[in-house]
Amino acid sequence: MKMTQQLDQTLSPQIHIIDGKEFAETLRQSVAIGARAFREKRGRAPGLAVVLVGQDPASQVYVRTKMKKALESGIDSFPHLLDSSTSQADLLQLIEKLNNDRYVHGILVQLPLPAHIDESKIITAIDPAKDVDGFHPINVGLLGQGKASLVPCTPLGCLMMLKDHLGNLSGKKAVIVGRSNIVGKPMANLLLQENCTVTIVHSRTEDLYSECRQADILVVAMGKAEFINAGAIKPGAVVIDVGINRVDKGGRSVLVGDVDFDSVGPVAGAITPVPGGVGPMTVACLMGNTLAAAEAIERDRAARY
Ligand code: NDP
């Protein structure tokens, strides 16, 4: 399945788009087939609990999107929309309840949490088998050791698009801009597993642009609108733009990535757009992780009884 298209020749003669939206839809359909088989075998659907604390507008949009995609994928979603004043103790109690709920196979706590709640305590309280975001220290450790685990959805989606476009990644030089626990670090581990030569650059890197220019694969996750321009790109490199930034353009509020698409597109071998690139793949991978978690949990349960 190749999800790369050449953009309309009359608009941009050389830009190859990696279409995350189309790829995500294909992935979601295959999850839906798996979820149907699961329901037939187990008598219930895979279940995803979605926990949101507070009324952050962006988080509300993400949670709505995840629940809609769960429904379309044949996954039951159980929303827990909590007031911003919810205490850490109450949230921990809810996580404990969800850990023990037979109908819940995946637990997603939408980040960021309000400042009075310690995110790492909440993530660590989630049963690693239900940690569909892949943020629990056990899953982080397994990924670092190159063992099967629930892998964070955003880097997993990036890897799928890279493999779809390039095939074998072995020997490629990959540069990742950003070292967050959610994107940069797990992305580095995944690319190492594919035998790439991996460099991570960050805010203290000297001459970030010359590092980026070495890359056959450039993954950018920094949260700085249109920061990376053509001067950072080796001609023909595959560029994955993870960034989501809302900016004002000509009086209109629009979403842009961390990559300056107009300047980078013609130099890159292929590029993911924003929106329509990494974002939809992140949600589709969450559904894939929920199905995988459900299958593993029920397999374990069946083996025990
Ligand atoms: P973080 O803020 O956690 O990390 C940003 C990273 O970028 C840090 O490592 C930081 O370096 C580095 N950085 C920031 N500014 C610079 C700079 N000027 N030069 C070099 N490095 C820099 O962000 P996330 O990883 O969580 O997210 C990154 C972006 O991806 C955001 O726009 C976010 O919205 C988006 N995102 C999109 C997702 C999707 O589904 N499409 C999912 C998750 C995130 P240092 O460590 O030194 O501070």
Side-chain angles (χ1 to χ4, degrees):
M1 156 179 69
K2 257 233 180 324
M3 294 297 175
T4 310
Q5 351 171 313
Q6 187 136 22
L7 208 63
D8 186 339
Q9 298 282 331
T10 54
L11 294 175
S12 297
Q14 287 128 1
I15 300 183
H16 277 82
I17 301 280
I18 298 178
D19 188 339
K21 211 169 157 192
E22 190 184 336
F23 199 144
E25 182 50 28
T26 307
L27 180 57
R28 195 198 56 71
Q29 283 172 15
S30 83
V31 172
I33 292 167
R36 198 176 317 128
F38 180 94
R39 188 195 287 265
E40 278 160 16
K41 188 165 177 194
R42 308 285 179 191
R44 59 171 174 271
L48 173 66
V50 182
V51 180
L52 173 65
V53 186
Q55 281 86 35
D56 175 62
S59 294
Q60 284 176 327
V61 171
Y62 291 140
V63 161
R64 269 202 301 274
T65 305
K66 286 166 186 173
M67 284 171 38
K68 180 169 170 270
K69 291 295 169 192
L71 183 71
E72 288 171 13
S73 310
I75 290 171
D76 284 344
S77 64
F78 306 106
H80 294 269
L81 309 178
L82 310 177
D83 194 80
S84 56
S85 64
T86 302
S87 70
Q88 180 167 298
D90 284 350
L91 185 53
L92 285 169
Q93 209 171 24
L94 172 63
I95 300 292
E96 189 54 28
K97 198 171 137 237
L98 297 173
N99 283 342
N100 293 316
D101 187 333
R102 289 197 61 181
Y103 292 91
V104 171
H105 302 98
I107 302 171
L108 177 137
V109 178
Q110 185 65 43
L111 303 179
L113 289 168
H116 66 277
I117 297 177
D118 180 343
E119 276 183 9
S120 72
K121 275 217 167 73
I122 302 301
I123 289 167
T124 308
I126 296 172
D127 178 348
K130 297 189 177 185
D131 169 38
V132 284
D133 258 338
F135 297 159
H136 191 287
I138 287 186
N139 287 321
V140 173
L142 286 170
L143 178 61
Q145 291 181 339
K147 294 183 181 151
S149 64
L150 289 165
V151 173
C153 303
T154 300
L156 182 59
C158 296
L159 182 70
M160 283 180 178
M161 289 191 284
L162 283 167
K163 286 171 82 168
D164 180 64
H165 183 70
L166 289 169
N168 189 356
L169 306 184
S170 182
K172 303 267 184 227
K173 168 108 177 112
V175 175
I176 300 160
V177 187
R179 55 176 164 178
S180 70
N181 292 332
I182 292 174
V183 188
K185 286 179 194 159
M187 187 79 245
N189 275 322
L190 287 173
L191 289 170
L192 268 179
Q193 277 176 29
E194 297 297 324
N195 298 316
C196 291
T197 302
V198 180
T199 303
I200 303 185
V201 298
H202 47 77
S203 68
R204 310 295 169 87
T205 299
E206 285 180 17
D207 202 355
L208 178 135
Y209 262 50
S210 75
E211 294 290 346
C212 291
R213 270 197 304 274
Q214 310 296 314
D216 304 309
I217 294 168
L218 183 67
V219 180
V220 187
M222 58 196 305
K224 295 273 179 299
E226 299 180 320
F227 187 95
I228 297 291
N229 65 35
I233 309 299
K234 174 174 161 181
V238 177
V239 179
I240 305 288
D241 187 356
V242 181
I244 303 177
N245 310 282
R246 191 161 280 286
V247 297
D248 186 85
K249 279 199 177 179
R252 274 196 328 129
S253 168
V254 293
L255 287 183
V256 298
D258 291 343
V259 174
D260 176 11
F261 184 89
D262 291 342
S263 88
V264 170
V267 183
I271 182 168
T272 57
V274 178
V278 175
M281 281 302 286
T282 297
V283 181
C285 287
L286 174 67
M287 301 310 140
N289 276 357
T290 304
L291 175 61
E295 284 170 341
I297 288 168
E298 295 298 339
R299 230 183 0 254
D300 266 20
R301 214 170 258 156
R304 267 187 281 122
Y305 300 107

